[in-house]
């Protein structure tokens, strides 16, 4: 049975997308939290330099890597055409092993689970019978997030560069570092990029177009107790670890990521370090609605205040910092941006899926800073784990969608 490509164009792009993808995932580009400088790890520069060389080889002569690790390049369109951006991130998640990735291509997937050679890892690609599935060897992540997006953009712009007769706007390519640690948009030079709208290729399932993300806040509770030798502690010890335990236990159990889905937000306690003398509770607070988001922060604040009031000898403080905004309010003024992507997805024979992202993307910050940037599927699944997988046919479909999107912007309306 022939592999299920969405179009002849996708089939034509598939070999190039896969070859690039297999090359890129072998470079260790894991980002690291708590490191100074951009990018946070030197491995990312290895891939970024490779991409600059490949962009130049494809004819994007101005490709360059800036001092913060951002790659930008131009594929010129006809005079007067709009300038449209294509963005993906080169880094991979720090949450699973990312060094020494050895990708495996499982041709013509017969359905059912795929057992990987290492660590007993099992991948379950649902609804992908007959596809060519790429996995890791089982002991590392794959890096489809977001090297699938990088490979799709590279294959699409190379194809467009080699076929100058195809309609297209001026395309600006941007590859960012450190998306996984929330810094991908931080040093992105929007003025130099010079696009009127852009797309991140960083979604998951075939057909996804996302123009709504969570709004995110980081909330950290710091507790200072009074640490005394337990043998002499009567009436004096104020145990920060116990106070931290009371705060965490008092958080509503239905306001967690494990108990919510769809449009409901949460408070997620992701790190807790505690001793008798000091404790730190690190949380992220998420919602699609800014008022509800504030409500969740108020819940946390009320609990912190109650515990603080019950033990005045302790010092307890709550630190709240905005992380990223829901992109919807910034995209509403530019409905043509998502509409062009939906038409391109339909032109590839795929029904668009528009569901809000329970997370953020580089596009959340970029949209807030004035560059409308919705997110398009890149094809990967089970991100940030050793079970990560991607279908070659889905990556080829995404690359074909980019080619069709270029056509949409060349002839708007
Ligand atoms: Zn990503």
């Amino acid at each position: 049975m022939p592999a299920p490509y969405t179009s002849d164009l996708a089939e034509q792009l598939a070999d190039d997308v896969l070859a690039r993808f297999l090359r890129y995932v072998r470079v260790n580009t894991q980002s690291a939290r708590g490191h100074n400088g951009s990018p946070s790890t030197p491995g990312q520069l290895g891939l970024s330099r490779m991409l600059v060389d490949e962009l130049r080889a494809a004819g994007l002569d101005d490709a360059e890597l800036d001092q913060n690790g951002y790659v930008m390049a131009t594929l010129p369109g006809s005079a007067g055409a709009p300038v449209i951006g294509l963005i993906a991130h080169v880094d991979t998640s720090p949450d699973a092993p990312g060094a020494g990735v050895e990708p495996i291509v499982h041709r013509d997937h017969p359905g059912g689970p795929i057992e990987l050679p290492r660590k007993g890892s099992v991948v379950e690609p649902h609804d992908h019978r007959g596809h060519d599935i790429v996995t890791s060897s089982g002991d590392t992540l794959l890096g489809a997030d977001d090297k699938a997006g990088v490979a799709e953009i590279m294959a699409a712009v190379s194809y467009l560069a080699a076929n100058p007769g195809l309609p297209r706007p001026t395309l600006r390519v941007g590859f960012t570092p450190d998306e996984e640690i929330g810094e991908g948009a931080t040093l992105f030079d929007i003025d130099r990029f010079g696009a009127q709208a852009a797309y991140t290729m960083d979604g998951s399932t075939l057909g996804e177009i996302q123009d709504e993300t969570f709004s995110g806040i980081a909330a950290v509770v710091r507790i200072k107790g009074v640490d005394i030798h337990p043998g002499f502690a009567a009436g004096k010890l104020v145990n920060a670890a116990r106070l931290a335990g009371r705060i965490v236990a008092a958080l509503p159990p239905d306001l967690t990521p494990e108990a919510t889905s769809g449009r409901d937000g949460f408070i997620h306690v992701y790190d807790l370090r505690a001793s008798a003398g000091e404790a730190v509770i690190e949380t992220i607070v998420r919602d699609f609605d800014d008022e509800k988001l504030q409500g969740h922060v108020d819940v946390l604040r009320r609990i912190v205040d109650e515990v603080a009031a019950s033990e005045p000898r302790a010092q307890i403080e709550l630190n709240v910092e905005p992380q990223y905004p829901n992109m919807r309010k910034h995209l509403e003024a530019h409905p043509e941006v998502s509409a062009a992507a939906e038409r391109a997805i339909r032109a590839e024979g795929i029904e668009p899926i528009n569901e809000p992202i329970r997370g953020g993307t580089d596009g959340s910050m970029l949209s807030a800073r004035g560059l409308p940037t919705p997110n398009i599927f890149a094809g990967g699944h089970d991100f940030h784990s050793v079970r990560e997988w991607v279908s070659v046919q889905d990556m080829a479909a995404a690359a074909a969608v980019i080619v069709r999107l270029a056509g949409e912007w060349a002839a708007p309306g």
Side-chain angles (χ1 to χ4, degrees):
M1 206 183 85
Y5 286 100
T6 44
S7 71
D8 291 347
L9 174 60
E11 184 161 13
Q12 211 178 323
L13 292 165
D15 286 350
D16 188 39
V17 178
L18 177 60
R20 290 178 190 277
F21 180 70
L22 296 177
R23 201 154 62 231
Y24 304 158
V25 296
R26 287 190 168 91
V27 184
N28 177 8
T29 60
Q30 254 188 322
S31 46
R33 296 183 186 94
H35 284 232
N36 288 325
S38 176
S40 64
T41 53
Q44 298 181 60
L45 291 174
L47 178 55
S48 297
R49 286 194 194 101
M50 184 190 287
L51 293 170
V52 168
D53 290 345
E54 291 186 12
L55 284 162
R56 289 193 181 147
L60 284 73
D61 301 324
D62 70 342
E64 61 173 351
L65 175 64
D66 75 12
Q67 72 275 15
N68 297 313
Y70 291 69
V71 175
M72 289 187 185
T74 312
L75 181 64
S78 50
V83 181
I84 299 299
L86 299 167
I87 298 172
H89 62 91
V90 298
D91 67 313
T92 56
S93 167
D95 295 335
V101 174
E102 291 180 32
I104 303 174
V105 184
H106 310 260
R107 295 282 180 190
D108 196 7
H109 174 53
I114 300 175
E115 287 177 26
L116 303 184
R118 304 212 185 109
K119 297 254 164 146
S121 299
V122 175
V123 174
E124 294 227 45
H126 298 290
D127 307 324
H128 278 77
R129 193 184 294 267
H131 283 239
D132 302 322
I133 305 291
V134 191
T135 68
S136 76
S137 305
D139 54 350
T140 66
L141 49 68
L142 174 62
D145 178 12
D146 184 24
K147 288 164 184 170
V150 175
E152 291 152 10
I153 292 172
M154 290 295 297
V157 296
S158 301
Y159 179 81
L160 286 165
N163 292 276
L166 290 174
R168 67 185 194 221
T170 290
L171 289 170
R172 282 285 276 163
V173 174
F175 295 129
T176 67
D178 290 332
E179 191 270 354
E180 299 289 0
I181 57 169
E183 302 293 348
T186 311
L187 296 170
F188 190 99
D189 189 338
I190 289 181
D191 290 335
R192 193 160 70 86
F193 198 52
Q196 68 184 60
Y199 301 87
T200 49
M201 299 298 298
D202 194 17
S204 179
T205 301
L206 182 82
E208 278 177 355
I209 157 79
Q210 297 158 321
D211 49 16
E212 183 166 11
T213 57
F214 270 149
S215 285
I217 282 179
V220 179
V221 183
R222 289 178 203 284
I223 307 171
K224 269 210 166 72
V226 180
D227 194 10
I228 307 277
H229 186 288
F232 309 96
K236 293 183 190 140
L237 175 72
V238 178
N239 191 331
R242 282 187 174 269
L243 295 172
R246 280 173 54 195
I247 291 171
V248 172
L251 289 169
D254 57 348
L255 207 57
T256 59
E258 59 270 36
T260 51
S261 59
R263 293 199 153 266
D264 294 326
F266 55 72
I267 302 170
H268 177 44
V269 177
Y270 71 91
D271 195 38
L272 173 61
R273 302 183 297 281
S275 64
E278 282 185 355
V280 180
I281 307 167
E282 300 205 55
T283 78
I284 53 171
V285 187
R286 299 286 185 263
D287 209 290
F288 293 101
D289 181 290
D290 285 347
E291 250 170 64
K292 288 185 185 161
L293 182 71
Q294 210 46 57
H296 304 328
V297 173
D298 292 344
V299 166
L300 178 60
R301 193 183 302 280
R302 207 158 44 237
I303 292 168
V304 167
D305 288 349
E306 276 169 22
V307 172
S310 75
E311 183 43 274
R313 292 173 298 170
Q315 291 173 37
I316 308 186
E317 60 182 49
L318 172 64
N319 221 307
V320 173
E321 259 184 54
Q323 291 180 300
Y324 56 82
N326 185 341
M327 62 163 75
R328 184 172 69 172
K329 62 181 171 220
H330 303 289
L331 286 172
E332 268 168 356
H334 310 278
E336 72 281 5
V337 180
S338 298
E342 290 194 8
R343 286 198 304 275
I345 291 169
R346 283 214 172 84
E348 185 54 26
I350 308 164
E351 186 54 30
I353 305 168
N354 192 336
E355 276 173 10
I357 318 175
R358 292 178 64 80
T361 67
D362 277 349
S364 309
M365 283 306 298
L366 295 174
S367 298
R369 284 172 51 200
L371 177 63
T373 308
N375 188 35
I376 294 176
F377 73 94
H381 294 271
D382 294 326
F383 288 170
H384 305 184
S385 82
V386 297
R387 295 174 306 282
E388 195 184 3
W389 61 275
V390 68
S391 140
V392 175
Q393 284 76 13
D394 290 355
M395 284 197 289
V401 164
I402 296 171
V403 173
R404 296 185 194 281
L405 186 59
E408 293 293 333
W409 280 103

